[in-house]
Amino acid sequence: MNRAVTLDDLMLAGIALAAGLLGAFLSRTLLRWLAKHAKRTRWSGDDVMVDALRTVVPWASMAGGAAAAAAVLPLTHTVQRHVNQCLTVLLIFVVTLSAARVVSGLVQTVTQSRSGVAGSATIFVNITRVLVLAIGFLVVLQTLGISIAPMLTALGVGGLAVALALQDTLANLFAGVHILASKTVQPGDYIRLTSGEEGYVVDINWRQTTVRQLSNNLVVIPNGQLAKTNMTNYTRPEQHQTVLVQAGVGYDSDLEHVERVTIEVVAEVMTGVAGALPDHEPAVRFHTFGDSRIGFTVILGVGEFSDQYRIKHEFIKRLHRRFREEGIRIPAPTRTVALQQGSVVIPHQRGHEVVQGGGPQHV
């Protein structure tokens, strides 16, 4: 347009701007009311979406009012195009930020609703936020008329070089994503690796997994190494465990009596020691005719992995005391030692004397 700006044009432009501002105010008031109702629901995802809309809708209303005002003014085609581009870029920028907030908020909501992943939700939130922002940046460039094909090609070549240079870091990153997504290991689990490391998983981030040993030392394990090694998880699928304790009695013992006394001790430990399972059914299984004893296994129930040390400690003490009270003998191992140079070969127990030509010797 080549005509001059008239008073009517200015009035129409002012009305358009005022309508945009009024729409922004009304929409923000409505969304504030919706936000109060969203907080009453149990799902936190609606809070994230309403909060994002409180940013997008007012800005969209103001941008629409500005675009309408520019349309009624007698601007040249070039100026009109630049104004529309600026408003479009502004709107895309606001929508991109809001979309990144919504997506990252929803991802964080989902991860926090799943036990064990809440403490490591940052890795998923950051990845989704970066992806949404990158897509919005490309859309802005396309809107401004800048071809993104060469940029994508350069990014592809550069990305390949970066991937080769940072292959260990990327391996740890994707291994961490796989570990968290598969839920094979989660913070709070007690794990043991074939390389010897064991302890409670404290945190899993984008690069490494931190394990706290029973001695309160922290062991940092790269996620790539954790994904490749054989691992035992003592917390899954159940935290409750059974512990085997090996014992033995002499051949002259009454096995029915031994079993009855042992079961009584197991029941006493299960109900009187912290960390034991009171509803655990006592179990004693004889299994071996040894050289000097009849071996049997006692099965104990523990609440979680670290409880086994305290429970085994108490059980062995109480079982030993009861066996002494009941007259049940726990024989020491018997060995036959052959001494040369004319010595006498006799079976003996540890601490007995062996007679040789030079006099008695302790073995």
Side-chain angles (χ1 to χ4, degrees):
M1 296 183 182
N2 295 323
R3 66 182 181 85
V5 179
T6 64
L7 181 62
D8 293 338
D9 295 333
L10 295 177
M11 290 181 61
L12 291 176
I15 292 173
L17 288 175
L21 293 175
L22 179 62
F25 174 76
L26 294 177
S27 61
R28 191 168 183 82
T29 303
L30 177 61
L31 290 171
R32 187 182 296 113
W33 177 80
L34 289 176
K36 294 180 180 179
H37 287 272
K39 291 180 179 179
R40 301 175 183 175
T41 61
R42 299 180 59 183
W43 185 50
S44 58
D46 52 358
D47 299 336
V48 176
M49 290 186 290
V50 172
D51 183 63
L53 290 176
R54 290 177 62 181
T55 304
V56 174
V57 175
W59 279 100
S61 179
M62 290 187 292
V72 299
L73 292 175
L75 303 176
T76 62
H77 179 71
T78 301
V79 174
Q80 183 74 34
R81 182 169 60 85
H82 288 320
V83 170
N84 291 334
Q85 278 187 344
C86 292
L87 294 175
T88 302
V89 169
L90 175 63
L91 189 59
I92 293 175
F93 178 74
V94 174
V95 171
T96 301
L97 292 180
S98 301
R101 185 188 306 173
V102 170
V103 174
S104 60
L106 292 177
V107 170
Q108 188 170 8
T109 300
V110 172
T111 53
Q112 287 180 345
S113 64
R114 306 178 68 177
S115 60
V117 188
S120 304
T122 306
I123 183 174
F124 297 110
V125 173
N126 291 337
I127 289 175
T128 53
R129 183 183 290 115
V130 170
L131 288 177
V132 174
L133 292 178
I135 294 174
F137 178 71
L138 294 177
V139 172
V140 168
L141 293 181
Q142 192 70 26
T143 303
L144 294 176
I146 301 174
S147 178
I148 62 176
M151 181 178 298
L152 293 177
T153 303
L155 288 176
V157 177
L160 179 60
V162 172
L164 292 176
L166 301 177
Q167 53 182 342
D168 292 337
T169 302
L170 294 176
N172 292 328
L173 170 63
F174 289 108
V177 173
H178 170 71
I179 290 172
L180 289 174
S182 62
K183 300 183 67 174
T184 55
V185 180
Q186 296 184 19
D189 293 354
Y190 191 95
I191 63 173
R192 176 183 292 169
L193 307 183
T194 53
S195 54
E197 297 87 353
E198 65 176 277
Y200 290 97
V201 177
V202 177
D203 180 47
I204 304 176
N205 57 31
W206 65 273
R207 181 182 179 274
Q208 62 200 16
T209 297
T210 305
V211 175
R212 178 176 58 84
Q213 296 178 323
L214 295 179
S215 58
N216 279 335
N217 296 324
L218 294 180
V219 179
V220 179
I221 306 172
N223 290 331
Q225 178 182 347
L226 184 64
K228 292 187 295 184
T229 186
N230 294 332
M231 175 186 60
T232 303
N233 192 331
Y234 291 95
T235 306
R236 302 183 183 279
E238 292 184 0
Q239 191 173 11
H240 295 169
Q241 302 178 20
T242 56
V243 177
L244 306 181
V245 178
Q246 305 297 329
V249 294
Y251 277 92
D252 57 348
S253 302
D254 183 357
L255 297 187
E256 294 293 339
H257 184 211
V258 171
E259 183 177 7
R260 183 171 61 255
V261 170
T262 306
I263 288 177
E264 292 176 359
V265 175
V266 172
E268 177 185 347
V269 172
M270 291 297 100
T271 56
V273 179
L277 302 179
D279 56 347
H280 172 74
E281 182 179 356
V284 177
R285 298 293 181 265
F286 295 97
H287 55 75
T288 304
F289 288 103
D291 293 336
S292 60
R293 65 177 67 188
I294 297 177
F296 63 93
T297 300
V298 183
I299 304 175
L300 306 175
V302 299
E304 60 104 10
F305 184 85
S306 61
D307 292 333
Q308 63 175 305
Y309 302 106
R310 178 176 59 257
I311 295 172
K312 289 169 66 175
H313 168 77
E314 290 294 332
F315 171 74
I316 291 175
K317 287 197 309 181
R318 300 185 186 194
L319 184 65
H320 183 263
R321 183 174 62 248
R322 280 295 304 274
F323 276 7
R324 294 185 63 180
E325 294 173 355
E326 300 291 336
I328 300 174
R329 188 173 61 88
I330 303 177
T334 300
R335 295 181 181 178
T336 300
V337 180
L339 300 178
Q340 300 183 5
Q341 296 181 354
S343 60
V344 181
V345 178
I346 58 173
H348 66 287
Q349 294 184 343
R350 291 179 180 175
H352 286 198
E353 294 182 349
V354 177
V355 180
Q356 286 191 354
Q361 297 181 2
H362 290 277
V363 179

